Amino acid sequence: MKKLYKTFSWIIGALLFISFFHILGLESVFSAFDALPLHVIFIWLLLTLLSRFISAEILYQPVKRLNGNMSRSDAFWLLWAKSFSNQIIPFSGLSIMLGFLRNQSSLSWEKISSLAWPQLFLAMQAVGLIGAYCSLTLIFENHSNHLSIFVILAAFVFLSITPLIIHLLIKKKRIKKHTNNETLKRLSLALNFLSDHKSITLYLLTGHVMSALIRVARLLLIFYFLGGSSDFTFLLLMAMIGEVAVLLNLTPGGLGIREGAIAIAAQVYGIDLDVALKAALLDRALILLTTFVFGGTSLFLFFKKTA
């Protein structure tokens, strides 16, 4: 059943992505891509590398705290391998990352299992906090006539406090720590890790916030180059809705889902739909290109090191 889901998710993502090209017109999208000047692509690439360096630090620090054996270089290339795999099969990148850690970091399987979920929780909280900030700002700026902003605010607040709710339930023994459910076991391990390493949790959360904002900056860089203009807070909210689609990972890397979420948000908040969707598609095209170049290289290095 899981294999069937993975196959269909890839097909659905690809079809959605292609359909957006069809809506805008292939010639229009390719013309926009050809028109991207080298300095815009260069800045986009610098932002991508900066985001990756921050993400590598986010992975490296917990492994270091657990006395694991990993360099920052390993973390940097491992994350590229993870992204590359996720573009092919949803969540397969996690298996690559855990396999590398198991073979190279000298950590026990229990400690390795406790590493993945905290990062997901903190990524959720980072996106939730930024999205909630945008929603509240728009409400205070008298944009409360948009009912959807209140709905989005509730969704982002829920996203940011979900880990805290689960932690409270485990602490109150509503969820048994020694449950036979594997997912709940991982949740418990993850929350115990965050609870035992409070000094690093804020550091990691800050890293996730910075990484998310840099990814948003990449998208808005292309949006502004294409001539788009709108209230910055609306643009930031639109981009964060796209980040939620990536976190859900219903398709490889959120392929098609992210672009659709950005298009819907643009339509609802009065942002130029054509420009927003075109920016999302160009951003995705550059993401795919860099992921296959750096990800392919990282997988080669990964297999060479583990051989």
Side-chain angles (χ1 to χ4, degrees):
M1 192 67 181
K2 286 185 178 179
K3 289 183 179 179
L4 189 64
Y5 162 72
K6 290 175 180 179
T7 301
F8 272 109
S9 70
W10 197 95
I11 294 172
I12 290 170
L15 288 175
L16 284 171
F17 188 63
I18 292 169
S19 69
F20 293 134
F21 271 90
H22 179 72
I23 290 170
L24 291 175
L26 286 173
E27 186 176 343
S28 175
V29 177
F30 286 134
S31 295
F33 191 82
D34 287 338
L36 281 178
L38 285 177
H39 73 271
V40 171
I41 296 175
F42 181 70
I43 294 171
W44 186 96
L45 183 58
L46 285 180
L47 290 172
T48 297
L49 292 175
L50 178 58
S51 174
R52 290 290 176 166
F53 284 130
I54 292 172
S55 297
E57 183 69 13
I58 290 170
L59 175 60
Y60 167 76
Q61 285 298 332
V63 174
K64 181 183 175 183
R65 288 297 179 100
L66 293 174
N67 298 316
N69 184 21
M70 171 184 271
S71 67
R72 286 184 171 89
S73 175
D74 286 338
F76 177 78
W77 290 109
L78 182 56
L79 287 173
W80 278 113
K82 178 174 177 275
S83 297
F84 179 85
S85 300
N86 281 338
Q87 294 295 336
I88 307 301
I89 303 174
F91 296 109
S92 63
L94 183 60
S95 300
I96 295 286
M97 187 175 76
L98 294 180
F100 179 88
L101 291 173
R102 186 74 180 93
N103 293 324
Q104 301 293 321
S105 68
S106 303
L107 292 175
S108 67
W109 185 249
E110 183 179 6
K111 286 185 177 180
I112 291 171
S113 298
S114 73
L115 286 174
W117 282 84
Q119 300 291 13
L120 177 60
F121 281 150
L122 292 173
M124 287 169 55
Q125 286 187 307
V127 171
L129 288 171
I130 299 170
Y133 167 79
C134 294
S135 303
L136 285 171
T137 300
L138 291 171
I139 290 171
F140 287 128
E141 289 178 353
N142 296 320
H143 292 290
S144 55
N145 55 316
H146 282 287
L147 177 62
S148 62
I149 292 179
F150 289 98
V151 176
I152 291 296
L153 172 62
F156 278 121
V157 169
F158 176 78
L159 196 65
S160 61
I161 66 173
T162 294
L164 301 177
I165 294 173
I166 296 172
H167 183 54
L168 183 63
L169 291 174
I170 291 175
K171 195 173 182 180
K172 296 291 185 181
K173 297 183 179 180
R174 299 291 179 84
I175 297 176
K176 295 180 180 179
K177 290 185 179 181
H178 302 293
T179 176
N180 291 324
N181 186 292
E182 286 300 320
T183 299
L184 293 181
K185 276 185 179 179
R186 292 190 187 112
L187 289 174
S188 181
L189 284 169
L191 292 165
N192 286 338
F193 175 86
L194 293 176
S195 179
D196 294 340
H197 298 82
K198 292 185 178 69
S199 61
I200 198 177
T201 298
L202 182 59
Y203 178 82
L204 297 177
L205 179 60
T206 302
H208 278 288
V209 170
M210 291 174 62
S211 185
L213 289 175
I214 291 170
R215 291 193 300 271
V216 168
R218 292 187 320 195
L219 174 67
L220 297 188
L221 171 70
I222 299 175
F223 177 84
Y224 284 126
F225 168 77
L226 294 176
S229 62
S230 182
D231 183 287
F232 178 76
T233 310
F234 274 123
L235 290 175
L236 186 55
L237 182 61
M238 174 191 75
M240 294 319 298
I241 291 172
E243 286 292 308
V244 173
V246 174
L247 275 178
L248 292 175
N249 208 15
L250 297 175
T251 57
L255 181 67
I257 305 294
R258 171 182 179 259
E259 290 74 26
I262 288 173
I264 292 171
Q267 181 70 26
V268 170
Y269 299 127
I271 300 168
D272 190 318
L273 176 58
D274 283 353
V275 175
L277 184 52
K278 198 176 291 184
L281 291 174
L282 293 181
D283 186 50
R284 171 68 72 176
L286 288 171
I287 289 171
L288 291 173
L289 183 61
T290 54
T291 298
F292 278 95
V293 171
F294 284 94
T297 303
S298 65
L299 278 179
F300 171 76
L301 295 173
F302 168 75
F303 285 119
K304 185 178 179 180
K305 189 166 187 175
T306 54

